[in-house]
């Protein structure tokens, strides 16, 4: 889904006081940002929670009172991986490629104090909006760079991060240059021994993009798994799929238990089942890659 900049600005909503003591918008707030029209929409059930949408496509959910709350199913699945990459509470060095409302960076900071995190978010206007309306807590070591995800990855020192989380979308599509063997090789280079690479992607139907992405990660990493809603895996609906890859064995049993106990039903594919899922798909390269598919009309309604 493409995005267009719009000059129109909604009337300023009334303000309410958030848990940080600052005034925040009470009703939906919209702003044009670099990637389209951003909307912060209050959550009906959680008084300090906000959803971020870009041109109508849901991007993130943030609860200022509880940064450990992950409202989107794909974020909860990434949260499970964050929980399992190291013993509970141990600080991590994390590189987030794609920032949005910084939901996962907040989660890491809250669950693993003293973690050092860097976020690559090319849309600086979006980052300014998020920082103003959904401020980070003092003391969190989160640095946001206004740059392309791949360019930040290229400059990341070798062996310097425990976890790379790729959640890069332009509109509702992952850009081609962030889907390739070359990109994945850069991510593998950045990982410290025992580190993991994770990615959120979206696909539907016969899942050709997802199958190619599994093949792409498999060209670089020996250990892989994929987590998604069974309906997405069966091609019944368009949705998110979360990939994880490493040079050491992944905790498949622990991840499977966590996914099975989640409020949104999910399935973990690995080993032979994941090989069968790939079904001879070709890895994407810089010469052949295409963006992820556009969501079908009405998928976000």
């Amino acid at each position: 889904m493409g995005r267009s900049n719009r000059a129109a600005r909604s009337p300023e909503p009334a303000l309410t006081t958030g848990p940080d003591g600052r005034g925040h918008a009470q009703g939906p707030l919209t702003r044009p940002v670099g990637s389209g029209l951003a909307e912060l929409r209050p959550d009906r059930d959680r008084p300090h929670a906000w959803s971020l949408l870009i041109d109508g496509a849901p991007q993130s959910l943030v609860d200022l009172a509880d940064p450990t709350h992950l409202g989107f199913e794909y974020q909860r699945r990434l949260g499970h991986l964050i929980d399992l990459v190291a013993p509970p509470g141990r600080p991590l060095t994390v590189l987030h490629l794609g920032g949005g409302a910084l939901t996962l960076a907040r989660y890491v900071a809250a669950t693993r104090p003293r973690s050092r995190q860097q976020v690559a978010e090319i849309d600086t206007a979006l980052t300014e909006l998020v920082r103003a309306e959904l401020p980070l807590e003092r003391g969190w070591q989160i640095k946001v760079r206004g740059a392309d995800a791949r360019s930040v990855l290229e400059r990341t020192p070798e062996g310097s991060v425990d976890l790379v989380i790729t959640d890069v979308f332009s509109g509702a599509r992952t850009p081609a240059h962030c889907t390739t063997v070359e990109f994945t090789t850069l991510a593998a280079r950045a990982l410290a021994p025992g580190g993991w690479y994770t990615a959120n992607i979206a696909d539907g139907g016969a899942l050709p993009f997802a199958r190619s992405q599994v093949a792409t990660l498999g060209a670089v990493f020996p250990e892989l798994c994929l987590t998604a809603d069974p309906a997405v895996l069966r091609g019944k609906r368009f949705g998110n799929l979360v990939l994880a890859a490493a040079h050491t064995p992944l905790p498949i049993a622990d991840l499977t238990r966590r996914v099975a106990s989640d409020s949104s039903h999910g399935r973990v594919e690995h080993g032979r089942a994941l090989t069968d899922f790939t079904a001879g798909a070709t890895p994407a390269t810089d010469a052949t890659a295409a963006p992820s598919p556009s969501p079908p009309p009405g998928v976000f309604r």
Side-chain angles (χ1 to χ4, degrees):
M1 179 184 296
R3 293 179 178 174
S4 59
N5 288 312
R6 304 179 193 176
R9 190 169 181 174
S10 68
E12 292 296 328
L15 295 180
T16 186
T17 300
D20 59 350
R22 294 180 52 178
H24 299 283
Q26 190 175 30
L29 182 152
T30 59
R31 292 285 189 278
V33 295
S35 49
L37 188 68
E39 178 184 359
L40 290 176
R41 183 180 298 173
D43 189 274
R44 295 178 180 178
D45 301 319
R46 304 180 72 91
H48 301 295
W50 297 81
S51 292
L52 169 67
L53 299 86
I54 304 291
D55 284 346
Q59 303 288 325
S60 306
L61 186 144
V62 169
D63 189 333
L64 293 173
D66 181 9
T68 68
H69 174 71
L70 300 175
F72 290 0
E73 62 182 38
Y74 86 86
Q75 291 180 331
R76 290 196 297 275
R77 289 163 186 162
L78 286 168
H80 296 324
L81 292 166
I82 292 168
D83 292 343
L84 292 170
V85 70
R90 196 189 86 182
L92 297 175
T93 301
V94 184
L95 175 60
H96 301 261
L97 302 177
L102 307 176
T103 304
L104 291 171
R106 298 168 197 266
Y107 181 83
V108 172
T111 59
R112 296 180 177 275
R114 302 183 306 284
S115 291
R116 293 183 294 113
Q117 302 185 77
Q118 183 174 188
V119 180
E121 174 53 65
I122 197 170
D123 191 338
T124 55
L126 176 60
T127 298
E128 290 172 2
L129 174 64
V130 168
R131 283 189 178 277
E133 300 298 334
L134 307 175
L136 300 172
E137 292 189 14
R138 292 180 181 178
W140 285 352
Q141 299 180 59
I142 301 173
K143 183 175 184 179
V144 183
R145 292 186 177 275
D148 174 77
R150 181 156 173 172
S151 69
V152 171
L153 188 57
E154 289 170 346
R155 297 194 299 270
T156 300
E158 183 175 357
S160 63
V161 299
D162 300 306
L163 182 64
V164 175
I165 300 175
T166 299
D167 190 13
V168 181
F169 285 85
S170 176
R173 306 179 73 183
T174 302
H177 71 292
C178 295
T179 68
T180 68
V181 169
E182 292 87 347
F183 178 89
T184 308
T185 300
L186 289 170
R189 175 182 173 275
L191 291 176
W196 295 358
Y197 174 77
T198 64
N200 172 48
I201 62 173
D203 201 1
L207 304 173
F209 178 75
R211 297 176 195 279
S212 175
Q213 286 301 284
V214 173
T216 299
L217 267 61
V220 178
F221 292 99
E223 303 290 335
L224 304 172
C225 71
L226 177 154
T227 305
D229 187 305
V232 174
L233 291 173
R234 292 194 300 268
K236 299 297 185 181
R237 70 175 181 87
F238 190 94
N240 296 88
L241 304 96
V242 170
L243 307 175
H247 287 292
T248 54
L250 294 163
I252 300 299
D254 287 342
L255 178 61
T256 300
R257 281 193 292 271
R258 287 172 178 256
V259 169
S261 65
D262 195 273
S263 57
S264 298
H265 187 48
R267 194 167 82 211
V268 179
E269 298 283 17
H270 64 99
R272 178 59 184 270
L274 192 56
T275 300
D276 293 344
F277 171 84
T278 306
T282 303
T285 68
D286 284 348
T288 63
S292 64
S294 297
V299 71
F300 298 124
R301 295 178 185 173

